[in-house]
Amino acid sequence: YRFEQNEADMNYYTVPAKLRDAIKMAHIVKHLCVETYNEVAGEDFTKSNFPKMFFLIGEWEYNNNGTFILGTAEGGKKIMLSGLNYLTQHLWNADELNDYYIRTIHHEFTHILNQTVPYQTDFKLVTDKGYVVDNWSSEPYESEYLQNGFVSAYAQKTHEEDFAETLSLYVTNTPEWWDALLAVPGCNAAAIRAKLDYVRDYMEDSWGVDIDLLRSVIIRRQSEIIDGKVSLDDITLNN
């Protein structure tokens, strides 16, 4: 008998990713993630820490509460990305590409880094009364996350998700986008800035990564994809 490992979560109904979308995503991961970290932190950092496997599925993983899972990280070795069969319709819109895919990759990679080197426990004390586990997707939390000192509704789930959301949203969006987020009336910008300081110090002290440089490189490389300067369909294997 031959047993094949099933990489999918059996708690969800999943469908395969289309080949053309999987090829596009492979190029996106290479250009926007692997080569980004090579440029910012060096190849040794990327080889030592970036996951060696991406598992792609075609549909989103839907939960019973109406939310769906964009991706997961497992054991520092694998990142699962869902919804690949919708990639083409979101590919040429930078905000949508970020929201559904790129931010997810950097979010999950943050979890991998945190599993290797934990961040300061004081991070969670900034908004320690604000974590609501699975209630993040219900009101009033879904619409009042900025007032509560969080960069997204999902960041309210746990301090681990808060850390990953703070970093991933910061590095995948422009400075103007970030400043506008914190300028929303009622936003508890002081709490968000305090948590960003922890994130910034952690990445610099633990990994030698300047998150402002990381952001500028991601934005530049994303523009290269959106402007069609990077081939996403080439299947030539490089030696």
Side-chain angles (χ1 to χ4, degrees), residues 45-81:
F45 168 85
T46 311
K47 290 178 180 178
S48 298
N49 299 289
F50 201 74
K52 305 301 185 289
M53 177 181 180
F54 273 73
F55 178 63
L56 310 175
I57 61 176
E59 188 52 78
W60 311 113
E61 289 189 338
Y62 291 95
N63 297 313
N64 291 332
N65 62 2
T67 63
F68 56 88
I69 295 173
L70 300 175
T72 59
E74 297 181 15
K77 299 178 180 179
K78 179 181 80 172
I79 286 180
M80 183 281 293
L81 292 177

PDB file of all heavy atoms in Angstrom, residues 45-81:
ATOM      1  N   PHE A  45      19.081  34.770   5.884  1.00  0.00           N
ATOM      2  CA  PHE A  45      17.849  34.914   6.660  1.00  0.00           C
ATOM      3  C   PHE A  45      16.702  34.182   5.971  1.00  0.00           C
ATOM      4  O   PHE A  45      15.959  33.426   6.610  1.00  0.00           O
ATOM      5  CB  PHE A  45      17.502  36.394   6.808  1.00  0.00           C
ATOM      6  CG  PHE A  45      16.108  36.654   7.334  1.00  0.00           C
ATOM      7  CD1 PHE A  45      15.858  36.665   8.699  1.00  0.00           C
ATOM      8  CD2 PHE A  45      15.044  36.877   6.456  1.00  0.00           C
ATOM      9  CE1 PHE A  45      14.578  36.888   9.178  1.00  0.00           C
ATOM     10  CE2 PHE A  45      13.767  37.101   6.929  1.00  0.00           C
ATOM     11  CZ  PHE A  45      13.525  37.110   8.298  1.00  0.00           C
ATOM     12  N   THR A  46      16.558  34.396   4.670  1.00  0.00           N
ATOM     13  CA  THR A  46      15.446  33.794   3.938  1.00  0.00           C
ATOM     14  C   THR A  46      15.558  32.279   3.922  1.00  0.00           C
ATOM     15  O   THR A  46      14.578  31.565   4.183  1.00  0.00           O
ATOM     16  CB  THR A  46      15.398  34.335   2.500  1.00  0.00           C
ATOM     17  OG1 THR A  46      15.484  35.759   2.533  1.00  0.00           O
ATOM     18  CG2 THR A  46      14.101  33.932   1.812  1.00  0.00           C
ATOM     19  N   LYS A  47      16.747  31.783   3.638  1.00  0.00           N
ATOM     20  CA  LYS A  47      16.933  30.330   3.578  1.00  0.00           C
ATOM     21  C   LYS A  47      16.681  29.672   4.927  1.00  0.00           C
ATOM     22  O   LYS A  47      16.161  28.560   4.993  1.00  0.00           O
ATOM     23  CB  LYS A  47      18.348  30.014   3.096  1.00  0.00           C
ATOM     24  CG  LYS A  47      18.593  30.347   1.631  1.00  0.00           C
ATOM     25  CD  LYS A  47      20.038  30.062   1.242  1.00  0.00           C
ATOM     26  CE  LYS A  47      20.285  30.405  -0.220  1.00  0.00           C
ATOM     27  NZ  LYS A  47      21.711  30.168  -0.605  1.00  0.00           N
ATOM     28  N   SER A  48      17.037  30.371   5.995  1.00  0.00           N
ATOM     29  CA  SER A  48      16.889  29.793   7.332  1.00  0.00           C
ATOM     30  C   SER A  48      15.457  29.856   7.858  1.00  0.00           C
ATOM     31  O   SER A  48      15.049  29.000   8.648  1.00  0.00           O
ATOM     32  CB  SER A  48      17.810  30.518   8.322  1.00  0.00           C
ATOM     33  OG  SER A  48      19.164  30.369   7.961  1.00  0.00           O
ATOM     34  N   ASN A  49      14.683  30.861   7.415  1.00  0.00           N
ATOM     35  CA  ASN A  49      13.403  31.130   8.076  1.00  0.00           C
ATOM     36  C   ASN A  49      12.171  31.050   7.188  1.00  0.00           C
ATOM     37  O   ASN A  49      11.084  30.740   7.693  1.00  0.00           O
ATOM     38  CB  ASN A  49      13.452  32.521   8.728  1.00  0.00           C
ATOM     39  CG  ASN A  49      14.519  32.628   9.781  1.00  0.00           C
ATOM     40  OD1 ASN A  49      14.404  32.047  10.854  1.00  0.00           O
ATOM     41  ND2 ASN A  49      15.590  33.369   9.483  1.00  0.00           N
ATOM     42  N   PHE A  50      12.302  31.363   5.901  1.00  0.00           N
ATOM     43  CA  PHE A  50      11.108  31.383   5.064  1.00  0.00           C
ATOM     44  C   PHE A  50      10.648  29.954   4.803  1.00  0.00           C
ATOM     45  O   PHE A  50      11.469  29.057   4.592  1.00  0.00           O
ATOM     46  CB  PHE A  50      11.391  32.097   3.737  1.00  0.00           C
ATOM     47  CG  PHE A  50      10.143  32.596   3.061  1.00  0.00           C
ATOM     48  CD1 PHE A  50       9.474  33.709   3.547  1.00  0.00           C
ATOM     49  CD2 PHE A  50       9.638  31.950   1.944  1.00  0.00           C
ATOM     50  CE1 PHE A  50       8.315  34.169   2.929  1.00  0.00           C
ATOM     51  CE2 PHE A  50       8.491  32.399   1.322  1.00  0.00           C
ATOM     52  CZ  PHE A  50       7.826  33.508   1.813  1.00  0.00           C
ATOM     53  N   PRO A  51       9.328  29.699   4.835  1.00  0.00           N
ATOM     54  CA  PRO A  51       8.829  28.327   4.684  1.00  0.00           C
ATOM     55  C   PRO A  51       9.225  27.707   3.347  1.00  0.00           C
ATOM     56  O   PRO A  51       9.294  28.389   2.323  1.00  0.00           O
ATOM     57  CB  PRO A  51       7.305  28.483   4.793  1.00  0.00           C
ATOM     58  CG  PRO A  51       7.040  29.916   4.485  1.00  0.00           C
ATOM     59  CD  PRO A  51       8.230  30.669   4.981  1.00  0.00           C
ATOM     60  N   LYS A  52       9.481  26.430   3.376  1.00  0.00           N
ATOM     61  CA  LYS A  52       9.927  25.717   2.184  1.00  0.00           C
ATOM     62  C   LYS A  52       8.778  25.186   1.344  1.00  0.00           C
ATOM     63  O   LYS A  52       8.990  24.683   0.242  1.00  0.00           O
ATOM     64  CB  LYS A  52      10.833  24.553   2.601  1.00  0.00           C
ATOM     65  CG  LYS A  52      12.023  24.959   3.467  1.00  0.00           C
ATOM     66  CD  LYS A  52      12.914  25.965   2.760  1.00  0.00           C
ATOM     67  CE  LYS A  52      14.170  26.278   3.563  1.00  0.00           C
ATOM     68  NZ  LYS A  52      13.886  27.074   4.783  1.00  0.00           N
ATOM     69  N   MET A  53       7.551  25.283   1.872  1.00  0.00           N
ATOM     70  CA  MET A  53       6.411  24.722   1.141  1.00  0.00           C
ATOM     71  C   MET A  53       5.219  25.674   1.190  1.00  0.00           C
ATOM     72  O   MET A  53       4.906  26.226   2.247  1.00  0.00           O
ATOM     73  CB  MET A  53       5.999  23.378   1.743  1.00  0.00           C
ATOM     74  CG  MET A  53       4.772  22.761   1.102  1.00  0.00           C
ATOM     75  SD  MET A  53       4.311  21.200   1.878  1.00  0.00           S
ATOM     76  CE  MET A  53       2.864  20.764   0.921  1.00  0.00           C
ATOM     77  N   PHE A  54       4.602  25.878   0.033  1.00  0.00           N
ATOM     78  CA  PHE A  54       3.325  26.582  -0.049  1.00  0.00           C
ATOM     79  C   PHE A  54       2.297  25.597  -0.576  1.00  0.00           C
ATOM     80  O   PHE A  54       2.494  24.967  -1.619  1.00  0.00           O
ATOM     81  CB  PHE A  54       3.422  27.795  -0.980  1.00  0.00           C
ATOM     82  CG  PHE A  54       3.892  29.048  -0.302  1.00  0.00           C
ATOM     83  CD1 PHE A  54       5.213  29.187   0.071  1.00  0.00           C
ATOM     84  CD2 PHE A  54       3.015  30.077  -0.013  1.00  0.00           C
ATOM     85  CE1 PHE A  54       5.657  30.318   0.712  1.00  0.00           C
ATOM     86  CE2 PHE A  54       3.450  31.218   0.635  1.00  0.00           C
ATOM     87  CZ  PHE A  54       4.779  31.348   0.994  1.00  0.00           C
ATOM     88  N   PHE A  55       1.207  25.461   0.179  1.00  0.00           N
ATOM     89  CA  PHE A  55       0.115  24.578  -0.234  1.00  0.00           C
ATOM     90  C   PHE A  55      -1.044  25.461  -0.675  1.00  0.00           C
ATOM     91  O   PHE A  55      -1.528  26.289   0.103  1.00  0.00           O
ATOM     92  CB  PHE A  55      -0.306  23.663   0.921  1.00  0.00           C
ATOM     93  CG  PHE A  55      -1.457  22.768   0.594  1.00  0.00           C
ATOM     94  CD1 PHE A  55      -1.356  21.823  -0.399  1.00  0.00           C
ATOM     95  CD2 PHE A  55      -2.657  22.860   1.294  1.00  0.00           C
ATOM     96  CE1 PHE A  55      -2.415  20.988  -0.708  1.00  0.00           C
ATOM     97  CE2 PHE A  55      -3.723  22.039   0.995  1.00  0.00           C
ATOM     98  CZ  PHE A  55      -3.603  21.099  -0.008  1.00  0.00           C
ATOM     99  N   LEU A  56      -1.475  25.302  -1.913  1.00  0.00           N
ATOM    100  CA  LEU A  56      -2.470  26.183  -2.503  1.00  0.00           C
ATOM    101  C   LEU A  56      -3.765  25.425  -2.752  1.00  0.00           C
ATOM    102  O   LEU A  56      -3.755  24.330  -3.309  1.00  0.00           O
ATOM    103  CB  LEU A  56      -1.949  26.751  -3.836  1.00  0.00           C
ATOM    104  CG  LEU A  56      -0.546  27.357  -3.809  1.00  0.00           C
ATOM    105  CD1 LEU A  56      -0.121  27.770  -5.219  1.00  0.00           C
ATOM    106  CD2 LEU A  56      -0.483  28.537  -2.855  1.00  0.00           C
ATOM    107  N   ILE A  57      -4.897  26.025  -2.325  1.00  0.00           N
ATOM    108  CA  ILE A  57      -6.198  25.434  -2.627  1.00  0.00           C
ATOM    109  C   ILE A  57      -7.047  26.469  -3.347  1.00  0.00           C
ATOM    110  O   ILE A  57      -6.833  27.678  -3.221  1.00  0.00           O
ATOM    111  CB  ILE A  57      -6.912  24.911  -1.365  1.00  0.00           C
ATOM    112  CG1 ILE A  57      -7.177  26.038  -0.367  1.00  0.00           C
ATOM    113  CG2 ILE A  57      -6.111  23.803  -0.721  1.00  0.00           C
ATOM    114  CD1 ILE A  57      -7.976  25.573   0.845  1.00  0.00           C
ATOM    115  N   GLY A  58      -8.008  26.005  -4.106  1.00  0.00           N
ATOM    116  CA  GLY A  58      -8.747  26.889  -5.002  1.00  0.00           C
ATOM    117  C   GLY A  58      -9.814  27.727  -4.330  1.00  0.00           C
ATOM    118  O   GLY A  58     -10.037  28.884  -4.703  1.00  0.00           O
ATOM    119  N   GLU A  59     -10.496  27.182  -3.337  1.00  0.00           N
ATOM    120  CA  GLU A  59     -11.608  27.878  -2.697  1.00  0.00           C
ATOM    121  C   GLU A  59     -11.175  28.388  -1.330  1.00  0.00           C
ATOM    122  O   GLU A  59     -10.178  27.950  -0.763  1.00  0.00           O
ATOM    123  CB  GLU A  59     -12.797  26.906  -2.554  1.00  0.00           C
ATOM    124  CG  GLU A  59     -14.106  27.519  -2.084  1.00  0.00           C
ATOM    125  CD  GLU A  59     -14.519  28.727  -2.900  1.00  0.00           C
ATOM    126  OE1 GLU A  59     -15.036  28.556  -4.013  1.00  0.00           O
ATOM    127  OE2 GLU A  59     -14.314  29.855  -2.413  1.00  0.00           O
ATOM    128  N   TRP A  60     -11.919  29.365  -0.814  1.00  0.00           N
ATOM    129  CA  TRP A  60     -11.686  29.802   0.564  1.00  0.00           C
ATOM    130  C   TRP A  60     -12.127  28.708   1.525  1.00  0.00           C
ATOM    131  O   TRP A  60     -12.995  27.896   1.203  1.00  0.00           O
ATOM    132  CB  TRP A  60     -12.477  31.083   0.865  1.00  0.00           C
ATOM    133  CG  TRP A  60     -12.341  32.176  -0.137  1.00  0.00           C
ATOM    134  CD1 TRP A  60     -13.294  32.661  -0.975  1.00  0.00           C
ATOM    135  CD2 TRP A  60     -11.164  32.960  -0.417  1.00  0.00           C
ATOM    136  NE1 TRP A  60     -12.801  33.678  -1.754  1.00  0.00           N
ATOM    137  CE2 TRP A  60     -11.488  33.889  -1.436  1.00  0.00           C
ATOM    138  CE3 TRP A  60      -9.866  32.968   0.100  1.00  0.00           C
ATOM    139  CZ2 TRP A  60     -10.579  34.802  -1.947  1.00  0.00           C
ATOM    140  CZ3 TRP A  60      -8.951  33.881  -0.406  1.00  0.00           C
ATOM    141  CH2 TRP A  60      -9.319  34.784  -1.413  1.00  0.00           C
ATOM    142  N   GLU A  61     -11.541  28.699   2.721  1.00  0.00           N
ATOM    143  CA  GLU A  61     -11.988  27.790   3.772  1.00  0.00           C
ATOM    144  C   GLU A  61     -13.012  28.529   4.626  1.00  0.00           C
ATOM    145  O   GLU A  61     -12.655  29.407   5.425  1.00  0.00           O
ATOM    146  CB  GLU A  61     -10.799  27.331   4.632  1.00  0.00           C
ATOM    147  CG  GLU A  61      -9.874  26.387   3.906  1.00  0.00           C
ATOM    148  CD  GLU A  61      -8.832  25.772   4.823  1.00  0.00           C
ATOM    149  OE1 GLU A  61      -8.550  26.368   5.888  1.00  0.00           O
ATOM    150  OE2 GLU A  61      -8.314  24.701   4.487  1.00  0.00           O
ATOM    151  N   TYR A  62     -14.282  28.176   4.456  1.00  0.00           N
ATOM    152  CA  TYR A  62     -15.366  28.903   5.107  1.00  0.00           C
ATOM    153  C   TYR A  62     -15.655  28.352   6.502  1.00  0.00           C
ATOM    154  O   TYR A  62     -15.702  27.141   6.715  1.00  0.00           O
ATOM    155  CB  TYR A  62     -16.637  28.816   4.255  1.00  0.00           C
ATOM    156  CG  TYR A  62     -16.546  29.573   2.967  1.00  0.00           C
ATOM    157  CD1 TYR A  62     -16.181  28.932   1.788  1.00  0.00           C
ATOM    158  CD2 TYR A  62     -16.804  30.946   2.916  1.00  0.00           C
ATOM    159  CE1 TYR A  62     -16.080  29.627   0.595  1.00  0.00           C
ATOM    160  CE2 TYR A  62     -16.714  31.651   1.727  1.00  0.00           C
ATOM    161  CZ  TYR A  62     -16.349  30.986   0.567  1.00  0.00           C
ATOM    162  OH  TYR A  62     -16.236  31.676  -0.611  1.00  0.00           O
ATOM    163  N   ASN A  63     -15.860  29.284   7.454  1.00  0.00           N
ATOM    164  CA  ASN A  63     -16.259  28.924   8.803  1.00  0.00           C
ATOM    165  C   ASN A  63     -17.771  29.052   8.965  1.00  0.00           C
ATOM    166  O   ASN A  63     -18.437  29.710   8.157  1.00  0.00           O
ATOM    167  CB  ASN A  63     -15.567  29.845   9.820  1.00  0.00           C
ATOM    168  CG  ASN A  63     -14.060  29.699   9.794  1.00  0.00           C
ATOM    169  OD1 ASN A  63     -13.540  28.583   9.804  1.00  0.00           O
ATOM    170  ND2 ASN A  63     -13.352  30.821   9.753  1.00  0.00           N
ATOM    171  N   ASN A  64     -18.292  28.468  10.017  1.00  0.00           N
ATOM    172  CA  ASN A  64     -19.735  28.482  10.242  1.00  0.00           C
ATOM    173  C   ASN A  64     -20.275  29.870  10.584  1.00  0.00           C
ATOM    174  O   ASN A  64     -21.473  30.120  10.472  1.00  0.00           O
ATOM    175  CB  ASN A  64     -20.110  27.511  11.361  1.00  0.00           C
ATOM    176  CG  ASN A  64     -19.904  26.059  10.963  1.00  0.00           C
ATOM    177  OD1 ASN A  64     -19.990  25.726   9.780  1.00  0.00           O
ATOM    178  ND2 ASN A  64     -19.629  25.205  11.933  1.00  0.00           N
ATOM    179  N   ASN A  65     -19.394  30.781  11.015  1.00  0.00           N
ATOM    180  CA  ASN A  65     -19.854  32.118  11.405  1.00  0.00           C
ATOM    181  C   ASN A  65     -19.834  33.131  10.263  1.00  0.00           C
ATOM    182  O   ASN A  65     -20.005  34.319  10.476  1.00  0.00           O
ATOM    183  CB  ASN A  65     -19.019  32.640  12.580  1.00  0.00           C
ATOM    184  CG  ASN A  65     -17.542  32.784  12.221  1.00  0.00           C
ATOM    185  OD1 ASN A  65     -17.128  32.527  11.093  1.00  0.00           O
ATOM    186  ND2 ASN A  65     -16.747  33.190  13.204  1.00  0.00           N
ATOM    187  N   GLY A  66     -19.600  32.640   9.046  1.00  0.00           N
ATOM    188  CA  GLY A  66     -19.608  33.522   7.884  1.00  0.00           C
ATOM    189  C   GLY A  66     -18.247  34.061   7.492  1.00  0.00           C
ATOM    190  O   GLY A  66     -18.109  34.692   6.445  1.00  0.00           O
ATOM    191  N   THR A  67     -17.231  33.842   8.308  1.00  0.00           N
ATOM    192  CA  THR A  67     -15.876  34.262   7.961  1.00  0.00           C
ATOM    193  C   THR A  67     -15.200  33.160   7.147  1.00  0.00           C
ATOM    194  O   THR A  67     -15.696  32.038   7.054  1.00  0.00           O
ATOM    195  CB  THR A  67     -15.039  34.551   9.215  1.00  0.00           C
ATOM    196  OG1 THR A  67     -14.901  33.335   9.979  1.00  0.00           O
ATOM    197  CG2 THR A  67     -15.727  35.609  10.072  1.00  0.00           C
ATOM    198  N   PHE A  68     -14.061  33.489   6.549  1.00  0.00           N
ATOM    199  CA  PHE A  68     -13.308  32.448   5.847  1.00  0.00           C
ATOM    200  C   PHE A  68     -11.821  32.655   6.055  1.00  0.00           C
ATOM    201  O   PHE A  68     -11.354  33.762   6.311  1.00  0.00           O
ATOM    202  CB  PHE A  68     -13.660  32.384   4.352  1.00  0.00           C
ATOM    203  CG  PHE A  68     -13.493  33.677   3.597  1.00  0.00           C
ATOM    204  CD1 PHE A  68     -12.274  34.012   3.010  1.00  0.00           C
ATOM    205  CD2 PHE A  68     -14.562  34.551   3.444  1.00  0.00           C
ATOM    206  CE1 PHE A  68     -12.119  35.188   2.301  1.00  0.00           C
ATOM    207  CE2 PHE A  68     -14.421  35.740   2.730  1.00  0.00           C
ATOM    208  CZ  PHE A  68     -13.197  36.058   2.154  1.00  0.00           C
ATOM    209  N   ILE A  69     -11.090  31.557   5.959  1.00  0.00           N
ATOM    210  CA  ILE A  69      -9.660  31.542   6.248  1.00  0.00           C
ATOM    211  C   ILE A  69      -8.882  31.834   4.972  1.00  0.00           C
ATOM    212  O   ILE A  69      -9.065  31.177   3.941  1.00  0.00           O
ATOM    213  CB  ILE A  69      -9.245  30.192   6.842  1.00  0.00           C
ATOM    214  CG1 ILE A  69      -9.914  29.996   8.209  1.00  0.00           C
ATOM    215  CG2 ILE A  69      -7.730  30.087   6.966  1.00  0.00           C
ATOM    216  CD1 ILE A  69      -9.699  28.609   8.805  1.00  0.00           C
ATOM    217  N   LEU A  70      -7.977  32.825   5.038  1.00  0.00           N
ATOM    218  CA  LEU A  70      -7.146  33.183   3.897  1.00  0.00           C
ATOM    219  C   LEU A  70      -5.870  32.345   3.857  1.00  0.00           C
ATOM    220  O   LEU A  70      -5.340  32.065   2.781  1.00  0.00           O
ATOM    221  CB  LEU A  70      -6.767  34.665   3.970  1.00  0.00           C
ATOM    222  CG  LEU A  70      -7.919  35.670   3.954  1.00  0.00           C
ATOM    223  CD1 LEU A  70      -7.382  37.079   4.155  1.00  0.00           C
ATOM    224  CD2 LEU A  70      -8.698  35.581   2.653  1.00  0.00           C
ATOM    225  N   GLY A  71      -5.373  31.972   5.029  1.00  0.00           N
ATOM    226  CA  GLY A  71      -4.143  31.195   5.058  1.00  0.00           C
ATOM    227  C   GLY A  71      -3.803  30.761   6.470  1.00  0.00           C
ATOM    228  O   GLY A  71      -4.363  31.251   7.447  1.00  0.00           O
ATOM    229  N   THR A  72      -2.875  29.819   6.558  1.00  0.00           N
ATOM    230  CA  THR A  72      -2.389  29.347   7.849  1.00  0.00           C
ATOM    231  C   THR A  72      -0.897  29.064   7.719  1.00  0.00           C
ATOM    232  O   THR A  72      -0.374  28.858   6.626  1.00  0.00           O
ATOM    233  CB  THR A  72      -3.105  28.064   8.310  1.00  0.00           C
ATOM    234  OG1 THR A  72      -2.904  27.027   7.333  1.00  0.00           O
ATOM    235  CG2 THR A  72      -4.591  28.290   8.510  1.00  0.00           C
ATOM    236  N   ALA A  73      -0.206  29.054   8.877  1.00  0.00           N
ATOM    237  CA  ALA A  73       1.205  28.669   8.930  1.00  0.00           C
ATOM    238  C   ALA A  73       1.331  27.487   9.877  1.00  0.00           C
ATOM    239  O   ALA A  73       0.708  27.461  10.934  1.00  0.00           O
ATOM    240  CB  ALA A  73       2.069  29.829   9.418  1.00  0.00           C
ATOM    241  N   GLU A  74       2.149  26.516   9.485  1.00  0.00           N
ATOM    242  CA  GLU A  74       2.256  25.310  10.294  1.00  0.00           C
ATOM    243  C   GLU A  74       3.711  24.956  10.544  1.00  0.00           C
ATOM    244  O   GLU A  74       4.468  24.684   9.610  1.00  0.00           O
ATOM    245  CB  GLU A  74       1.555  24.136   9.600  1.00  0.00           C
ATOM    246  CG  GLU A  74       0.057  24.332   9.406  1.00  0.00           C
ATOM    247  CD  GLU A  74      -0.611  23.135   8.746  1.00  0.00           C
ATOM    248  OE1 GLU A  74       0.035  22.069   8.720  1.00  0.00           O
ATOM    249  OE2 GLU A  74      -1.732  23.275   8.266  1.00  0.00           O
ATOM    250  N   GLY A  75       4.087  24.980  11.809  1.00  0.00           N
ATOM    251  CA  GLY A  75       5.375  24.466  12.220  1.00  0.00           C
ATOM    252  C   GLY A  75       6.592  25.128  11.597  1.00  0.00           C
ATOM    253  O   GLY A  75       7.671  24.544  11.587  1.00  0.00           O
ATOM    254  N   GLY A  76       6.414  26.331  11.057  1.00  0.00           N
ATOM    255  CA  GLY A  76       7.545  27.013  10.457  1.00  0.00           C
ATOM    256  C   GLY A  76       7.985  26.450   9.122  1.00  0.00           C
ATOM    257  O   GLY A  76       8.982  26.885   8.556  1.00  0.00           O
ATOM    258  N   LYS A  77       7.240  25.497   8.595  1.00  0.00           N
ATOM    259  CA  LYS A  77       7.663  24.830   7.361  1.00  0.00           C
ATOM    260  C   LYS A  77       6.709  25.049   6.192  1.00  0.00           C
ATOM    261  O   LYS A  77       7.109  24.926   5.036  1.00  0.00           O
ATOM    262  CB  LYS A  77       7.812  23.324   7.607  1.00  0.00           C
ATOM    263  CG  LYS A  77       8.845  22.971   8.655  1.00  0.00           C
ATOM    264  CD  LYS A  77       8.905  21.477   8.883  1.00  0.00           C
ATOM    265  CE  LYS A  77       9.943  21.128   9.943  1.00  0.00           C
ATOM    266  NZ  LYS A  77      10.002  19.663  10.196  1.00  0.00           N
ATOM    267  N   LYS A  78       5.448  25.356   6.487  1.00  0.00           N
ATOM    268  CA  LYS A  78       4.454  25.395   5.414  1.00  0.00           C
ATOM    269  C   LYS A  78       3.485  26.546   5.627  1.00  0.00           C
ATOM    270  O   LYS A  78       3.085  26.828   6.758  1.00  0.00           O
ATOM    271  CB  LYS A  78       3.668  24.073   5.377  1.00  0.00           C
ATOM    272  CG  LYS A  78       2.592  24.020   4.299  1.00  0.00           C
ATOM    273  CD  LYS A  78       1.842  22.707   4.324  1.00  0.00           C
ATOM    274  CE  LYS A  78       0.781  22.661   5.402  1.00  0.00           C
ATOM    275  NZ  LYS A  78      -0.071  21.469   5.312  1.00  0.00           N
ATOM    276  N   ILE A  79       3.128  27.201   4.528  1.00  0.00           N
ATOM    277  CA  ILE A  79       2.043  28.182   4.534  1.00  0.00           C
ATOM    278  C   ILE A  79       0.972  27.689   3.574  1.00  0.00           C
ATOM    279  O   ILE A  79       1.263  27.306   2.443  1.00  0.00           O
ATOM    280  CB  ILE A  79       2.525  29.575   4.113  1.00  0.00           C
ATOM    281  CG1 ILE A  79       3.348  30.224   5.236  1.00  0.00           C
ATOM    282  CG2 ILE A  79       1.348  30.487   3.766  1.00  0.00           C
ATOM    283  CD1 ILE A  79       3.865  31.601   4.923  1.00  0.00           C
ATOM    284  N   MET A  80      -0.265  27.656   4.053  1.00  0.00           N
ATOM    285  CA  MET A  80      -1.392  27.327   3.200  1.00  0.00           C
ATOM    286  C   MET A  80      -2.070  28.620   2.763  1.00  0.00           C
ATOM    287  O   MET A  80      -2.333  29.494   3.578  1.00  0.00           O
ATOM    288  CB  MET A  80      -2.393  26.444   3.941  1.00  0.00           C
ATOM    289  CG  MET A  80      -3.592  25.983   3.098  1.00  0.00           C
ATOM    290  SD  MET A  80      -4.905  27.223   2.887  1.00  0.00           S
ATOM    291  CE  MET A  80      -5.535  27.375   4.544  1.00  0.00           C
ATOM    292  N   LEU A  81      -2.320  28.758   1.471  1.00  0.00           N
ATOM    293  CA  LEU A  81      -3.084  29.880   0.932  1.00  0.00           C
ATOM    294  C   LEU A  81      -4.340  29.345   0.265  1.00  0.00           C
ATOM    295  O   LEU A  81      -4.283  28.390  -0.504  1.00  0.00           O
ATOM    296  CB  LEU A  81      -2.258  30.655  -0.103  1.00  0.00           C
ATOM    297  CG  LEU A  81      -1.041  31.426   0.400  1.00  0.00           C
ATOM    298  CD1 LEU A  81      -0.328  32.067  -0.777  1.00  0.00           C
ATOM    299  CD2 LEU A  81      -1.440  32.462   1.422  1.00  0.00           C
TER     300      LEU A  81
END
